[in-house]
Amino acid sequence: MKQAWLDNLLKAMGRERLIDSAQHQGLLELEGSPWWLSLLLGAAAWLSALMIGGAFFMPVMLLADGPWGQMLVGVLMLGASVWLFRQSGLFSAQLALAFSLGGQLIVVIALVQGLDLPTYRLSYPALISALLAAALFWMPATALHRMLCALLVLGNTAVLIGAGPALALYGLLLASAAVVGWLARAHWALAGLAQWLRPLLNAATLVALALMLFGHQSVMEMLWQRLGAGTVHHWLPLFYRLGAGLLLLGVGLWLLRNSGRQRLLLLVPLFLLCLLLNQAPGLLVSAALGLAAWQAGSRLWSAVAPVFALGYLGELYYSLHLSLLDKSLVLVLSGMGLLVLRWLALRWIGRLS
């Protein structure tokens, strides 16, 4: 079954002229390593990175004392990672990943100290880290390295924006872009840019899921005070809820685009569900991203998004800005709405198929 699926995929790539016949046959005969072997090789690579760093890079750092000596060590580690990524094998790829992440950290610290930038402000190291990760994102490397670089860029961008209304807009726009990316996967999966889009999409999905924590009012007020963003604007929680609800409705509308007039009846319980769970925009965004990833065939995010949804549901239940009676009624009515939505979907969509 797996061999037939792989053969069909490689034939489609051949029609798009992404691979030739020799590469087709080579990829078809390629057998993946067992997961336990990949895990052992990854652990050995990271342990080797620590040993090599201690044996070679640490003496260089001690001899060239000061931030610019640290900069030299960081640049050497980044250069070693570029060379290792060009080699074949899982061990060299994991070793290169360890050198790249360690080198980026050392370069950022060295620049902050060498330029005498204030350490109490996170914006300076965040800007340096984002620019460095953006540059390394485009070098020939593994998909995991590209995803981690994209995570650094998107995460540090959130730090640069800071707590406030702009962060809400950034989080919702990022979630919308991730949803559109997953729903359009069939159009870019076989394109040449897929090697760049897939890691970027994975990073955008993770950052969007995490940023929705700021959309919960109780958490928002606590974080705003600790981050020194002042008081929460009275319209900001409403903005989060409205954006998350519209995103989930948009995904539902797109998934039901071929269901005819029944689409409107199926959207009614979904709309009521958005109203009931408007206090938990993170739950709504997790549901939207999970549905989009499931439609795109991503098993990873189809499993990870419900975990975030469960966490946001738990935050809603244990939050103090709603009474226990109100939360119980919301959960009961939401569960009934989901059951009705499932019953309608099985009845009408089953007829259409």
Side-chain angles (χ1 to χ4, degrees):
M1 183 70 178
K2 183 178 180 181
Q3 190 81 358
W5 174 85
L6 180 60
D7 188 33
N8 292 332
L9 176 62
L10 294 178
K11 286 180 179 178
M13 296 178 69
R15 288 193 296 268
E16 296 291 333
R17 297 182 180 180
L18 297 176
I19 57 175
D20 55 25
S21 58
Q23 291 173 324
H24 181 157
Q25 188 62 29
L27 291 172
L28 192 61
E29 296 175 354
L30 184 63
E31 295 183 0
S33 302
W35 66 268
W36 55 267
L37 181 59
S38 300
L39 183 63
L40 288 177
L41 287 174
W46 282 84
L47 181 61
S48 300
L50 293 175
M51 296 177 63
I52 294 174
F56 176 73
F57 293 116
M58 285 302 294
V60 175
M61 186 178 295
L62 292 176
L63 290 175
D65 194 15
W68 302 116
Q70 297 176 3
M71 171 72 73
L72 176 62
V73 172
V75 171
L76 289 175
M77 292 181 70
L78 292 177
S81 70
V82 173
W83 180 80
L84 286 169
F85 273 128
R86 297 180 180 274
Q87 312 306 310
S88 60
L90 178 63
F91 181 82
S92 60
Q94 290 295 321
L95 190 61
L97 179 63
F99 280 168
S100 176
L101 296 179
Q104 291 183 61
L105 178 61
I106 293 175
V107 168
V108 171
I109 294 176
L111 280 177
V112 171
Q113 294 179 351
L115 298 176
D116 197 22
L117 300 176
T119 57
Y120 62 88
R121 295 189 61 180
L122 296 177
S123 57
Y124 293 110
L127 177 60
I128 297 172
S129 177
L131 293 175
L132 182 59
L136 294 175
F137 175 81
W138 300 102
M139 76 174 186
T142 60
L144 178 59
H145 180 266
R146 294 193 183 105
M147 189 191 77
L148 292 177
C149 287
L151 274 175
L152 288 173
V153 173
L154 297 176
N156 285 313
T157 300
V159 174
L160 289 172
I161 293 174
L167 185 64
L169 181 61
Y170 174 69
L172 290 172
L173 288 177
L174 200 60
S176 302
V179 164
V180 173
W182 286 119
L183 294 179
R185 186 181 183 184
H187 300 285
W188 57 261
L190 297 179
L193 292 177
Q195 59 179 326
W196 314 104
L197 290 177
R198 180 59 188 270
L200 184 60
L201 186 56
N202 286 333
T205 304
L206 182 58
V207 175
L209 287 171
L211 285 180
M212 281 303 107
L213 183 65
F214 287 85
H216 290 237
Q217 186 168 355
S218 57
V219 180
M220 184 193 306
E221 293 173 352
M222 178 186 66
L223 292 176
W224 253 238
Q225 292 176 359
R226 291 191 176 183
L227 296 177
T231 58
V232 177
H233 298 277
H234 65 280
W235 52 266
L236 193 55
L238 180 61
F239 180 74
Y240 270 106
R241 298 165 190 170
L242 183 61
L246 289 176
L247 184 61
L248 181 56
L249 287 174
V251 173
L253 187 64
W254 193 90
L255 294 177
L256 298 171
R257 65 192 184 281
N258 296 324
S259 59
R261 291 179 298 178
Q262 288 86 352
R263 172 178 56 184
L264 298 178
L265 295 177
L266 287 169
L267 286 176
V268 169
L270 185 60
F271 176 74
L272 295 177
L273 189 66
C274 293
L275 289 179
L276 289 170
L277 296 175
N278 70 89
Q279 296 286 338
L283 176 59
L284 301 178
V285 170
S286 299
L289 287 169
L291 286 172
W294 170 80
Q295 188 276 338
S298 174
R299 290 182 294 179
L300 173 63
W301 294 110
S302 297
V304 172
V307 174
F308 274 89
L310 184 61
Y312 286 128
L313 182 62
E315 194 282 329
L316 172 66
Y317 185 77
Y318 289 104
S319 60
L320 300 178
H321 66 286
L322 288 175
S323 66
L324 185 59
L325 177 60
D326 292 337
K327 288 181 287 190
S328 300
L329 289 175
V330 166
L331 293 178
V332 169
L333 293 176
S334 300
M336 294 175 61
L338 286 172
L339 291 175
V340 171
L341 185 61
R342 178 182 182 274
W343 179 76
L344 292 175
L346 290 176
R347 182 179 178 183
W348 287 330
I349 297 179
R351 289 179 180 178
L352 293 174
S353 61

